[in-house]
């Protein structure tokens, strides 16, 4: 019985952790965007990488367009310090 309770507790804990991570946002940086905070789409992408990083919170992802008009991207995840 204790093993089942322990497993149930572990599963609940993992679900709580995963649900927090899956609620993270995506922020975009590209010279083709309109530079509208919080930069959550390609249309409103930040003009600078630093602006997109500053808008991101812990575990958010910043996606960068490295070459304008081409589908060459890099991304980073902001982790707590």
């Amino acid at each position: 019985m204790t093993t089942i309770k322990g497993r149930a507790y572990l599963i609940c804990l993992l679900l709580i952790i995963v649900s927090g991570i899956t609620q993270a946002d995506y922020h975009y940086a590209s010279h083709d965007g309109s530079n509208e905070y919080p930069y959550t789409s390609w249309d409103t992408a930040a003009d600078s990488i630093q602006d997109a990083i500053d808008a991101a919170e812990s575990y958010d992802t910043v996606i960068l367009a490295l070459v304008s008009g081409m589908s060459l991207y890099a991304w980073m995840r902001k982790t707590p310090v």
Side-chain angles (χ1 to χ4, degrees), residues 1-9:
M1 202 66 151
T2 306
T3 306
I4 293 173
K5 285 184 180 179
R7 287 182 184 173
Y9 176 76

Side-chain angles (χ1 to χ4, degrees), residues 14-38:
L14 288 173
L15 288 174
I16 291 169
I17 291 170
V18 169
S19 69
I21 293 173
T22 59
Q23 293 177 8
D25 286 328
Y26 293 91
H27 303 273
Y28 298 84
S30 169
H31 290 296
D32 296 331
S34 60
N35 199 36
E36 295 177 37
Y37 185 86

